[in-house]
Amino acid sequence: MKVFDIAKTLSLEPLSVADSSREVSGVYIGDLLSWVMGRAESGDAWITIMSNINIVAVASLADVACIILAEGVVPDENVCITAQQKGINIYTSDKTAYQLAAALAECLQ
């Protein structure tokens, strides 16, 4: 399923949409950035509550399809601008990480 379709299905709020046609192949949930770098897989939707500029670098290194910020987290404008420049999709949602993961599991079946 494509990032665009997931964003629409889950009513995600776009913060940086660089390539909404990326295919999402899995889900990774984590807030420890070094852990995410070593374990998230290319094409994953990464669910986190981290919102600092480092999420853009980690998303790029891990080649995730998108970052989904849970629980209404919104990063600084600079994070969104940098994400756009680096080709990283970022969305936010008021849902918890668990709710997002459960909904994504259904979407990806």
Side-chain angles (χ1 to χ4, degrees):
M1 187 171 226
K2 297 192 182 305
V3 170
F4 172 81
D5 298 321
I6 287 173
K8 184 176 177 182
T9 301
L10 300 182
S11 301
L12 303 177
E13 180 184 336
L15 301 175
S16 166
V17 181
D19 182 7
S20 64
S21 66
R22 286 267 329 248
E23 198 70 33
V24 175
S25 54
V27 179
Y28 192 83
I29 304 169
D31 300 319
L32 185 57
L33 300 180
S34 60
W35 202 266
V36 175
M37 279 191 310
R39 289 171 172 78
E41 296 183 13
S42 179
D44 279 352
W46 172 25
I47 301 171
T48 185
I49 58 166
M50 295 296 294
S51 63
N52 65 46
I53 192 70
N54 295 329
I55 63 171
V56 176
V58 170
S60 181
L61 286 169
D63 191 36
V64 297
C66 63
I67 302 169
I68 303 173
L69 300 172
E71 301 194 28
V73 171
V74 177
D76 292 336
E77 184 179 349
N78 185 46
V79 173
C80 297
I81 291 168
T82 303
Q84 187 70 37
Q85 292 169 345
K86 302 284 183 185
I88 304 297
N89 299 303
I90 302 178
Y91 295 85
T92 190
S93 172
D94 287 333
K95 295 176 179 148
T96 66
Y98 173 80
Q99 291 168 325
L100 288 165
L104 279 165
E106 285 197 24
C107 289
L108 297 176
Q109 288 184 8

